[in-house]
Structures are given as structure tokens and as C-alpha cells.
Amino acid sequence: MKRRVGGPLPRERPKQEGHIWGSMKRTAFILGSGLLLSVAFWNSVTWHLQKFWGASGYFWQAQWEKLLSTYSGKEWILFFLGTVLIPTMLFWSFNALLLVVDTTGKPHFVSRYRIQDGKNDPVDPTKLRQAVLTVLFNQYIISLPVLGLSYLFLKWRENPCRPELPTFHWFLLELSVFILTEEVMFYYSHRLLHHPMFYKRFHKKHHEWTAPIGVVSLYAHPIEHVVSNLLPAMVGPMVMGSHLPSITVWFSLALITTTISHCGYHLPFLPSPEFHDYHHLKFNQCFGVLGVLDHLHGTDTTFKQTKAYERHVLLLNLTPLSESIPDPPKKTE
């Protein structure tokens, strides 16, 4: 009996279909179980956090009411304390620690995590001084008027200093909106600044640092600072009509995160800075914050072929990834 060309024998077809159906059931079981476990874990985490938030909620609400009473009629002072003073203090406190390593190369147990070996070891003091002055100018001369306008908008939209603090779940929702808004606005504004029409005039200043350090996260032309630093972080709270404490937490997180992205060290237990460090090294890859839009637009394809991409993970031990996943040896002629 000859086998028919172009397909299996009739008795073989049910076996193959049964095998495919079994694989599909196993896949559905694994994915379904994973989804249920993820949902259960997330619900457990949010329940405990909500319980903690609720237990301490009366305390924070009482403190907030005292602040409102102290600054009654002068809520704008509270707004600037929450959007400028607190986030800026955190920014400079974190960067002060990083600058010790940048300028001295010590302690070695931190400097050994440097991404671009031999760069900023130590950092050029003249270049650093210029960067610090530019950052201070952007933070106080440029940011303050823009935040003043945002305060007027928020008061019109919904008073950011209203008496009742937000619930925990509402804050989580706001944070999700803030992060997604920043990803979209930063990615497209950043790509626009790389257009030849704008790059040399506005964005080239930021790319003077091909091996960035933490403080240069805000080292930029004033126009870029407004378009690509301030607006992506501010639009989310403005759209949501957010409460001041939510804005304070978000601005602080945004500044710490961008500092880590620029710091030049892939430190244990902190988010990986490899993605944005590679952008400073190559200029034409990795434009976003999360990498979602880079994946969709294909602006991370070269990055994905590098050792830097393999190192773009959360480091959960004390061995530098430059040692466990070293770059390939340079070719010699």
C-alpha cells in the first residue's frame, strides 16, 4: 500500500490532532495557573499595602490637615515645597553620593560596577562644574516658572491641596497613568530632538556626555529641559488632577529613576541603566524610558544584539555584570 503524497495517512491524523490538542491544553493550564498566581500575589500585596495605608492613613491625614491649617491661604508654598524642595533634596542627596565615586573612584566596591570601563575615572572637574551649574539653572530658573503655571492649571482643574488625601488604590492608578504618559511623551519628544533640525541646536548639549553620570540627567538646553524633562513628568498629574502628595512622590521617583539611568554604574538591586547608557554611547538607539515604544518602533534592534542587552537585567548578586557577561575582545588588525 502506497503512502499518499502531501499528507499523513488517515489513521495518523487523529494522533497528530490529539498531540496538538494536548499541547494546547498543557499550555493553557500553565498560562492560566501563572495568571491566577500572579493575580493572587498582586491582590495579596495590594491588600497588605492597603491595610498598612489604612492603618497609617489617620496619622497622615492628621498631619496633612495640620499643614493645611499652618499654610491656610498660602497653599502655593506647600505646592512648591512638595514639587521643588523635597524632590530636589532627594535628587542632590543621591547624586552627592554618586559624585564622591565619580570624582575619587572610591570606594572601589562601588566603582567596580562602572558600565563604560575607563570613562569618568575620575570625571573631568571642569566639565562637571559646567554640568552642575546648568542643572541648577534648569532646576530653579527654568523649572520654577513652569511649575507655577502648572499650579494655576491644577487649581483650575482640581485643587492639589484639597483636604482629603487620596486612597491607596487611587494612587496606584495615578502612578500607572504617570508612568505610561511619561513613556509616550518622553519617547516622541526625545526622537524629535534627534531630528537634524533640532539636534545640534538643542539636544547636542546633553550628548556631550557619551558616558553619563547621575547629575547630567538634567544637563540639557532649557528648551529640551521643558519639552523632554518637565512636560512628560507633569502632564500625567495635570490630566489626573492629582493631589500634592501624589505629585511629590511621583516627581521624587522620576528624579531618582533618571539619575539611576544616567549614573554610569550597574549597581546591585537597582534598576538597570544599560538601556539609556547605550543611548548615550551610540545616539541612535534606546530613546524611551521603559523600552516599550523602542520595541514597537524597532529603535532597539542594534541594542538587542549586544552584550549590553544581555546585561540589561536587575543585578541580584554582588558580581559586576561586566565580569559575568564581558564584552567580546576587540578585534586587532
Side-chain angles (χ1 to χ4, degrees):
M1 180 178 177
K2 292 185 178 179
R3 182 184 177 119
R4 292 186 302 169
V5 178
L9 290 171
R11 72 178 66 177
E12 294 176 343
R13 215 176 261 118
K15 290 183 180 179
Q16 287 194 349
E17 290 174 355
H19 176 70
I20 293 169
W21 176 241
S23 298
M24 289 175 66
K25 287 194 292 184
R26 284 194 296 273
T27 302
F29 175 76
I30 293 168
L31 291 177
S33 301
L35 181 61
L36 286 173
L37 286 172
S38 299
V39 170
F41 174 75
W42 175 249
N43 284 339
S44 175
V45 170
T46 54
W47 183 83
H48 283 94
L49 288 173
Q50 176 69 25
K51 191 174 180 181
F52 169 77
W53 187 284
S56 61
Y58 294 111
F59 171 78
W60 293 115
Q61 182 66 46
Q63 303 313 306
W64 176 246
E65 289 173 1
K66 287 180 184 178
L67 283 173
L68 286 180
S69 176
T70 302
Y71 292 95
S72 178
K74 297 178 181 177
E75 287 82 4
W76 63 270
I77 297 177
L78 273 181
F79 183 81
F80 281 98
L81 288 174
T83 58
V84 179
L85 183 63
I86 294 174
T88 300
M89 285 177 62
L90 289 171
F91 174 83
W92 283 110
S93 298
F94 187 29
N95 274 286
L97 297 175
L98 292 171
L99 283 171
V100 171
V101 188
D102 293 332
T103 54
T104 66
K106 297 176 182 178
H108 177 66
F109 70 80
V110 176
S111 64
R112 66 197 288 254
Y113 294 100
R114 183 177 281 112
I115 295 173
Q116 296 188 41
D117 190 38
K119 302 289 183 68
N120 299 321
D121 188 19
V123 68
D124 182 342
T126 304
K127 198 176 177 183
L128 175 61
R129 191 180 307 112
Q130 180 189 3
V132 169
L133 291 174
T134 300
V135 170
L136 290 171
F137 178 84
N138 284 338
Q139 284 183 314
Y140 294 105
I141 306 302
I142 303 300
S143 297
L144 284 175
V146 176
L147 288 169
L149 291 174
S150 73
Y151 176 66
L152 295 176
F153 177 86
L154 283 166
K155 283 209 71 173
W156 169 80
R157 170 78 170 76
E158 191 170 0
N159 184 11
C161 298
R162 50 192 178 274
E164 188 174 353
L165 291 174
T167 64
F168 177 71
H169 283 98
W170 180 254
F171 172 70
L172 287 183
L173 173 64
E174 286 185 309
L175 193 59
S176 301
V177 172
F178 299 163
I179 291 170
L180 291 174
T181 303
E182 183 191 40
E183 170 71 5
V184 172
M185 292 195 65
F186 181 78
Y187 179 85
Y188 290 113
S189 65
H190 191 186
R191 284 204 70 179
L192 184 65
L193 287 168
H194 274 264
H195 189 280
M197 187 184 301
F198 303 112
Y199 179 80
K200 190 173 182 180
R201 183 176 297 179
F202 301 120
H203 194 46
K204 187 177 180 181
K205 185 180 185 72
H206 185 67
H207 274 285
E208 290 171 6
W209 292 78
T210 54
I213 61 173
V215 75
V216 305
S217 53
L218 300 183
Y219 176 70
H221 187 283
I223 298 296
E224 177 185 350
H225 182 61
V226 173
V227 171
S228 209
N229 290 341
L230 291 176
L231 288 181
M234 289 169 52
V235 167
M238 292 169 72
V239 168
M240 298 295 289
S242 296
H243 205 292
L244 177 59
S246 298
I247 302 173
T248 302
V249 172
W250 165 238
F251 280 8
S252 301
L253 284 174
L255 283 174
I256 294 299
T257 302
T258 192
T259 296
I260 293 172
S261 296
H262 288 84
C263 73
Y265 304 99
H266 194 148
L267 299 169
F269 313 111
L270 289 180
S272 167
E274 301 278 354
F275 187 79
H276 196 71
D277 196 272
Y278 190 80
H279 173 75
H280 274 262
L281 184 65
K282 299 297 182 181
F283 291 22
N284 61 353
Q285 291 277 297
C286 309
F287 293 93
V289 179
L290 303 175
V292 176
L293 289 173
D294 284 282
H295 176 74
L296 292 176
H297 290 288
T299 49
D300 61 354
T301 50
T302 303
F303 173 65
K304 287 178 177 177
Q305 298 169 13
T306 66
K307 289 292 183 180
Y309 176 68
E310 294 181 36
R311 294 191 291 264
H312 186 45
V313 293
L314 181 66
L315 178 56
L316 296 176
N317 58 59
L318 300 180
T319 303
L321 285 168
S322 57
E323 295 179 9
S324 57
I325 310 176
D327 286 322
K330 294 181 179 179
K331 294 179 180 180
T332 54
E333 295 183 1

